[in-house]
Amino acid sequence: MNDKLSTEDVELILSYDADDVFSPFSEPRKGVDTQLFLGGKGYYLKKLFLSGFPVPPGFIMTTEVFRCKSVIQKQTDLISGIEAGIREHVSRLEKMTGRQFGNPLNPLLLSVRSGSAISMPGAMNTLLNVGMNDAITETLSKQPNFAWTSWDCYRRLLQTWGMSFGMDRNVFDKIILDYKRREGVSRKIEFPAAMMRSIAMD
């Protein structure tokens, strides 16, 4: 490790605590359930969940990861440990909800929201409807009254994913505006489901 990393990196790794990386909504974590570790948004969502409010189950990847992000990215074993933790917590959500990530007939869909200890409205990335893909959306769209919403949800996933990786929102807005002009409608809700599918696929 000394051959590959700077003294600062070694000190950072030695201070890294893998036990503090995840905090599931359903399990109080003494010493971890603070705004410093969970961020303001995650902290209050977890409090609401544990107080019995109708908050969907979830888990938080804490700021312990991001405190040590620069050195974690250089260590494949640390990255593998985090990825294994994500899989474990998604599996827990599957058991809690009776749904399965990637299952077209009964999919588990997730919202992935970033946060910070201090509120930063509009500055953090959000991914909506994670777990959808072409096959899942096609299957969902065949359920009664699900067609339009399924394709709009998929469109939102593609948009939030693209924006998280540097695409400008105007790219996505232009697609919808072009469809509105072409079809002579003023509101997205006026598009039929088949057209929402075309918009998502564009």
Side-chain angles (χ1 to χ4, degrees):
M1 191 178 288
N2 279 330
D3 293 338
K4 297 178 181 179
L5 301 174
S6 67
T7 302
E8 292 78 11
D9 283 345
V10 172
E11 290 176 351
L12 201 55
I13 282 185
L14 291 174
S15 71
Y16 174 69
D17 191 342
D19 290 336
D20 291 343
V21 168
F22 293 101
S23 179
F25 280 11
S26 57
E27 181 184 314
R29 293 286 318 280
K30 187 176 181 180
V32 176
D33 289 349
T34 68
Q35 284 185 253
L36 182 63
F37 272 102
L38 307 186
K41 186 185 299 177
Y43 174 76
Y44 287 108
L45 276 174
K46 182 165 182 175
K47 283 194 73 170
L48 288 169
F49 183 92
L50 290 173
S51 297
F53 286 88
V55 174
F59 64 91
I60 300 164
M61 185 186 298
T62 74
T63 56
E64 181 69 3
V65 173
F66 302 97
R67 180 179 70 83
C68 303
K69 181 181 176 182
S70 62
V71 72
I72 288 172
Q73 291 175 322
K74 302 173 186 176
Q75 298 294 307
T76 55
D77 56 333
L78 294 180
I79 294 171
S80 296
I82 291 170
E83 290 175 346
I86 292 172
R87 287 192 293 272
E88 176 191 340
H89 284 281
V90 169
S91 178
R92 289 188 190 182
L93 292 181
E94 290 177 329
K95 291 173 183 174
M96 291 176 72
T97 61
R99 297 181 175 274
Q100 186 177 16
F101 193 80
N103 182 347
L105 299 177
N106 189 31
L108 173 68
L109 303 180
L110 305 172
S111 291
V112 181
R113 300 175 182 271
S114 53
S116 63
I118 300 171
S119 181
M120 300 173 66
M124 313 300 280
N125 289 335
T126 294
L127 298 175
L128 300 174
N129 309 311
V130 173
M132 298 189 84
N133 57 30
D134 291 3
I136 286 174
T137 311
E138 287 281 10
T139 303
L140 286 174
S141 71
K142 290 178 171 56
Q143 296 184 22
N145 301 317
F146 266 63
W148 192 97
T149 301
S150 297
W151 289 111
D152 190 45
C153 286
Y154 193 34
R155 178 194 65 78
R156 287 174 180 271
L157 168 61
L158 298 173
Q159 178 172 326
T160 55
W161 186 276
M163 289 172 61
S164 293
F165 286 90
M167 292 184 69
D168 193 282
R169 184 189 179 105
N170 290 335
V171 172
F172 300 96
D173 288 345
K174 184 178 184 303
I175 293 172
I176 291 183
L177 288 172
D178 286 347
Y179 269 87
K180 284 180 176 178
R181 281 192 289 266
R182 194 181 312 150
E183 301 302 320
V185 303
S186 58
R187 298 184 304 156
K188 183 179 64 176
I189 193 67
E190 298 176 63
F191 290 128
M195 196 156 293
M196 287 304 296
R197 183 185 188 282
S198 297
I199 292 170
M201 291 303 190
D202 274 356

